[in-house]
Amino acid sequence: MAQQTTVRGAVGPIPVRSSSARTAARIPPIAELKLGWQERGLCQSGDATVFFAPDSERIREREKREASAKRVCDDCPVRQQCLEHALALPEQFGIWGGLTELERAEEARRRRGAATGARPVVVPIRIGTQRDRGFADAQAAAREGTEVAA
């Protein structure tokens, strides 16, 4: 029978029984990792829960949390690298580079359209009031040169 030993890993002692346990033991603790731009992010010094939605979050709570996270991102020196990272993977959850999940999806669509030379598709994120829709209809009519009854 193979001798069982333990090694210090990132999350504590790991019994060495297989090659995967030996691999896990070689992963340094998170504090020792050199992550590059991530280390310079302002989000590293704050509460990570601001950037990720908890289960069953109410709309007003989400809006407040997202606004708070975006304020952190506004002053972040690595905001662009963070956004590029989130679009390249793509990150599915949380605030990355100052954009929410829906905003990143729209940005990715916009970039794909720009790369192919196609006209970007505008997808509304929020449905406005009747007054807002009337204003949008009037703007569209003005572009087409027609009149809309108010």
Side-chain angles (χ1 to χ4, degrees), residues 122 124 126-150:
V122 177
R126 180 179 256 178
I127 298 172
T129 64
Q130 183 64 35
R131 181 175 165 258
D132 295 338
R133 287 191 293 274
F135 181 73
D137 291 343
Q139 282 186 325
R143 283 193 301 269
E144 296 171 5
T146 61
E147 246 181 74
V148 173

Side-chain angles (χ1 to χ4, degrees), residues 40-105:
R40 297 188 315 272
L42 294 180
C43 58
Q44 296 298 315
S45 61
D47 182 14
T49 60
V50 172
F51 295 90
F52 296 95
D55 292 337
S56 67
E57 182 178 45
R58 294 179 181 260
I59 293 172
R60 289 191 194 273
E61 292 169 348
R62 176 180 47 85
E63 290 172 345
K64 287 179 184 178
R65 180 187 51 77
E66 287 177 352
S68 176
K70 287 180 176 189
R71 280 193 299 275
V72 173
C73 293
D74 284 344
D75 298 326
C76 186
V78 293
R79 180 179 180 176
Q80 191 62 39
Q81 292 100 318
C82 181
L83 178 58
E84 297 303 325
H85 163 82
L87 292 172
L89 282 185
E91 290 288 352
Q92 295 181 353
F93 305 104
I95 306 286
W96 290 82
L99 299 181
T100 65
E101 298 92 340
L102 292 173
E103 292 166 341
R104 285 195 307 276

